[in-house]
Amino acid sequence: MDVTEVSRSPGGATKRGRSARPSAAKTTTRARPHITREVEWRTSAESAIQAVKPLASPWKTLDPFIFCVHHEDHFPAGNKQMGPAASLDDRNIGNDFSGKDGWSMYHGDVVPGFPAHPHIGFEIVTVLRQGTIDHFDSLNATARYGSGDVQWITAGQGMQHSEMFPLLDRHRPNPLELFQIWVNLPHANKRELPNFKLLWRHQIPHRISRDEAGRTTEITVVAGELDDAKAPTPPPKSWASRADTHVAIWIIKMAPNATWTLPRTKAGLNRALYFYRGGSLKIEDVPVQSGHLIELEPGCDVHLRNTGEAAQL
């Protein structure tokens, strides 16, 4: 995903009627933390890096984020029903997360995806990097959106929605890549009427930074702001709509050997980098391999140097 900059927890959330796991607020002042088996390593309190942890599935999140998953499927060509033009034998249709042949049907039986299911008490942000999604919901909203678009749903008091992945190209493969991110809602807004919003690709700002050698770092600002780049407005009752929370979701792509400085933000926030694709980075001269979560102190600039192939965070 991403850079996420967040503040203290807005309160608990529920998922399909069950309590989500509790999450503790973090501060920027800490003694050397206890090392657990989950943590690859931690640094001293003076470091810009708080911890480095291997990415799991779903990715570990910090308040107010409560879930993040990265889907990447290499679907084959489609058939007349917009499903895969391939055998579905040996798949647990209706609950296929096998990744067989590089793709899954998930809960779909003809078209891959997630048929009608409920959400309540939190927000769902779907960042579509490649492919197509068909959306239907109990608010009578329908939409088809594609590469670069973002769907933002504030579930509030509850809604049902469907997310299906139609395979539109019948002659070539239909790759799909997306992030789905769940953001908690403040207690006061958990029973608000639900809201559905699409952020179209042309509305989402992209900034390209060049280092002294001319190497590029591209930043896509899905939420929050970076310099003069301000993301589209989220739904009105979103935790991200409040100026004091500083919620940000950025996607960063660094060319080989590029350098870039992640600017400081307000002290007291949670902040993390998810290094999900590439080779290796140096973060404040600390080497980090791809496939890791890096928890960062918010109140200082953080220097990044890509020491491997093109990197995505």
Side-chain angles (χ1 to χ4, degrees):
M1 178 176 81
D2 320 348
V3 177
T4 56
E5 300 179 4
V6 305
S7 68
R8 59 191 177 278
S9 171
T14 56
K15 172 190 174 187
R16 300 190 185 212
R18 295 175 294 172
S19 295
R21 70 179 191 277
S23 45
K26 295 183 182 292
T27 63
T28 58
T29 304
R30 54 172 69 194
R32 184 181 295 272
H34 175 66
I35 296 177
T36 69
R37 271 192 247 177
E38 178 192 28
V39 177
E40 183 172 290
W41 51 264
R42 290 180 182 267
T43 61
S44 69
E46 291 74 27
S47 173
I49 301 175
Q50 294 180 347
V52 176
K53 307 177 184 181
L55 284 180
S57 183
W59 294 349
K60 178 180 172 62
T61 54
L62 307 177
D63 280 344
F65 296 91
I66 54 178
F67 178 84
C68 181
V69 67
H70 177 220
H71 284 289
E72 187 169 23
D73 289 281
H74 302 280
F75 289 115
N79 58 27
K80 292 180 180 179
Q81 291 77 38
M82 295 184 289
S87 172
L88 300 183
D89 293 345
D90 302 321
R91 291 180 182 269
N92 184 15
I93 295 303
N95 192 34
D96 172 36
F97 289 77
S98 65
K100 183 175 182 289
D101 300 324
W103 51 275
S104 299
M105 288 294 291
Y106 303 106
H107 296 309
D109 54 9
V110 176
V111 176
F114 297 85
H117 57 281
H119 290 300
I120 185 171
F122 60 93
E123 302 184 87
I124 306 98
V125 183
T126 304
V127 182
L128 184 55
R129 302 290 287 166
Q130 189 175 20
T132 303
I133 295 179
D134 281 345
H135 166 91
F136 310 89
D137 67 35
S138 55
L139 307 178
N140 294 321
T142 65
R144 171 170 287 176
Y145 59 105
S147 303
D149 299 328
V150 173
Q151 174 187 257
W152 196 309
I153 296 173
T154 301
Q157 63 185 239
M159 64 176 294
Q160 296 240 15
H161 80 144
S162 168
E163 299 162 294
M164 306 304 292
F165 311 142
L167 308 184
L168 303 179
D169 196 323
R170 295 176 59 185
H171 304 288
R172 290 179 292 274
N174 289 270
L176 176 84
E177 183 185 6
L178 64 89
F179 303 106
Q180 187 161 103
I181 306 158
W182 295 0
V183 188
N184 209 346
L185 278 172
H187 179 73
N189 299 127
K190 285 187 177 291
R191 293 296 173 179
E192 295 284 350
L193 292 174
N195 188 289
F196 166 82
K197 186 171 186 177
L198 272 170
L199 314 180
W200 299 109
R201 179 179 182 177
H202 70 272
Q203 298 174 310
I204 298 171
H206 301 262
R207 289 295 179 269
I208 294 179
S209 173
R210 297 184 184 274
D211 62 19
E212 292 181 354
R215 302 183 183 99
T216 60
T217 297
E218 180 181 354
I219 308 97
T220 302
V221 184
V222 175
E225 55 187 278
L226 171 65
D227 299 328
D228 64 338
K230 187 171 184 178
T233 305
K237 299 300 181 180
S238 169
W239 183 241
S241 67
R242 293 174 45 168
D244 60 332
T245 61
H246 301 277
V247 173
I249 301 171
W250 302 344
I251 300 169
I252 301 166
K253 184 176 181 180
M254 300 183 72
N257 301 311
T259 62
W260 182 67
T261 298
L262 174 67
R264 69 187 64 199
T265 187
K266 184 180 177 182
L269 305 184
N270 292 329
R271 183 158 74 156
L273 282 170
Y274 296 84
F275 185 14
Y276 70 93
R277 181 174 294 151
S280 59
L281 294 173
K282 280 193 174 181
I283 303 176
E284 292 294 314
D285 291 326
V286 175
V288 178
Q289 298 298 311
S290 178
H292 284 85
L293 158 69
I294 305 99
E295 296 181 16
L296 298 171
E297 289 288 349
C300 57
D301 297 332
V302 181
H303 184 70
L304 310 178
R305 177 182 293 276
N306 185 11
T307 53
E309 59 192 270
Q312 297 191 45
L313 304 102

